[in-house]
Amino acid sequence: MLLCCKLYISESRNREALEPIERAAKLDPETVIINKFPDRDYNRVNYTLVSYVIHDSTGCPIYSPLHQTVVAMVAAAYDAINLEQHSGTHPRLGVVDDILIHPLARASLDEASWLAKKVAADIGNRFQVPVYLYAAAHPMGKALDTIRRELGYYRPNFRGIQWAGWAQPEQVPVKPDEGPEVVSRARGIVMIGAHKWVAMYNIPIMSTDLSVARRIAQRVSARGGGLPTVQTLGLFHGEDSTEIACILLEPNQIGADRVQNHVETLASQESLDVEKGYFTDLSPEMIIERYMKLISSSS
């Protein structure tokens, strides 16, 4: 039974800041870094980590090496990164912006939720950071995008296209599940959830007109009457393009090809060219395969 953690950190340009985070990830050889996806324009990096979970005699999860590895990486991130000095064209509310736990192989959402809540309690108590649980980790299954809207996640605060520093009230408007109700401007807020596999798929639009990208993104998304189980953002990406950043909540039902085709159709109506999209992570099957190879080679 395996658990996968996607850890999103608000930094990708400062190599010196990332080095201690990656050293922390390697302290326990039983946790494996499967993938790293940095995006310089967004100034954001995603680490994908995998390890096993152990149960007691009643079948309840009691231990995973991922627990302490993730907490150690979070500690290193808070030591190395100051949110007030961060800027990028992807929304974020924290140095550690999002921690998402997926079940892999024979593991279930129960194990993923258990780990998410363990990590959340440690981060809230140890680092005094407001923590919001979402999806299967939340008592009512509250969706990530719902919480983000409540907290002002989607509103850029610099030039209409960037998120810079901390611009939210220091008193959070919604009570967190763990940690204080007052925000450290240097650390911000963290979201922690458990969910069956979610795919991140980004589609470049050959235009710098952000209003058009946002319009296309809205029409693609389920919220805007587009494709079910698809969430989107229109974001500025690089000097000469924008991007439709997509979250595919049910990738086996509404997959990347269908989203790509829909975006291309809408973009053609705006007389815009679209590049082939890209995933920001490996598939679950590839992650398991890579994990097994890395574990066997190190034993």
Side-chain angles (χ1 to χ4, degrees):
M1 294 186 181
L2 300 176
L3 295 175
C4 172
C5 173
K6 294 179 182 175
L7 178 61
Y8 295 87
I9 293 176
S10 301
E11 181 58 70
S12 67
R13 301 169 187 165
N14 185 349
R15 182 65 231 168
E16 290 184 0
L18 297 182
E19 284 175 354
I21 299 169
E22 292 169 16
R23 283 197 300 270
K26 298 173 183 176
L27 290 175
D28 188 337
E30 294 190 312
T31 296
V32 178
I33 301 179
I34 300 295
N35 193 45
K36 172 186 176 183
F37 188 89
D39 191 304
R40 188 171 181 83
D41 293 305
Y42 289 154
N43 202 8
R44 181 179 178 90
V45 63
N46 168 31
Y47 294 101
T48 303
L49 307 121
V50 174
S51 193
Y52 59 84
V53 58
I54 291 177
H55 301 74
D56 64 16
S57 59
T58 67
C60 295
I62 57 172
Y63 174 74
S64 173
L66 271 174
H67 179 191
Q68 292 306 322
T69 299
V70 172
V71 172
M73 293 177 73
V74 169
Y78 287 146
D79 285 343
I81 302 166
N82 184 335
L83 190 64
E84 289 195 286
Q85 298 171 5
H86 176 272
S87 65
T89 59
H90 193 289
R92 83 290 183 273
L93 285 172
V95 165
V96 180
D97 193 52
D98 186 18
I99 300 174
L100 176 55
I101 310 296
H102 294 299
L104 291 179
R106 291 183 294 112
S108 71
L109 267 178
D110 289 339
E111 285 97 354
S113 300
W114 164 81
L115 179 59
K117 287 183 273 193
K118 293 278 285 184
V119 170
D122 276 4
I123 292 175
N125 295 328
R126 179 174 167 184
F127 305 113
Q128 288 299 292
V129 170
V131 179
Y132 292 87
L133 296 172
Y134 67 89
H138 186 274
M140 304 299 292
K142 196 170 184 179
L144 175 62
D145 65 327
T146 299
I147 301 170
R148 283 175 163 174
R149 283 190 177 84
E150 291 173 347
L151 297 174
Y153 178 86
Y154 298 106
R155 295 193 296 268
N157 65 350
F158 183 67
R159 295 170 52 201
I161 62 169
Q162 289 198 47
W163 286 258
W166 177 262
Q168 305 290 339
E170 292 186 11
Q171 183 81 22
V172 293
V174 180
K175 182 177 174 61
D177 297 287
E178 299 285 355
E181 296 184 38
V182 176
V183 182
S184 158
R185 299 176 68 90
R187 294 179 174 178
I189 291 167
V190 59
M191 313 286 176
I192 303 181
H195 202 289
K196 60 185 178 180
W197 188 258
V198 171
M200 311 294 181
Y201 186 72
N202 297 344
I203 305 173
I205 306 290
M206 296 300 98
S207 169
T208 56
D209 190 337
L210 186 59
S211 64
V212 174
R214 287 173 173 166
R215 186 162 62 244
I216 293 172
Q218 182 178 20
R219 292 176 66 189
V220 171
S221 70
R223 182 178 172 86
L227 298 174
T229 71
V230 175
Q231 298 175 356
T232 59
L233 284 173
L235 300 172
F236 204 80
H237 193 255
E239 295 181 355
D240 58 359
S241 69
T242 48
E243 193 165 78
I244 311 299
C246 306
I247 300 177
L248 312 183
L249 296 175
E250 298 280 357
N252 291 330
Q253 295 181 24
I254 308 290
D257 288 345
R258 187 167 171 187
V259 175
Q260 179 80 35
N261 291 337
H262 198 37
V263 169
E264 288 176 359
T265 299
L266 295 173
S268 69
Q269 297 171 9
E270 306 276 358
S271 300
L272 294 178
D273 292 328
V274 175
E275 288 191 351
K276 179 66 176 175
Y278 60 92
F279 290 100
T280 65
D281 213 333
L282 306 175
S283 69
E285 295 77 16
M286 292 174 68
I287 287 173
I288 293 171
E289 180 182 357
R290 184 171 292 188
Y291 170 79
M292 298 306 293
K293 285 182 179 178
L294 291 170
I295 286 294
S296 61
S297 65
S298 64
S299 60

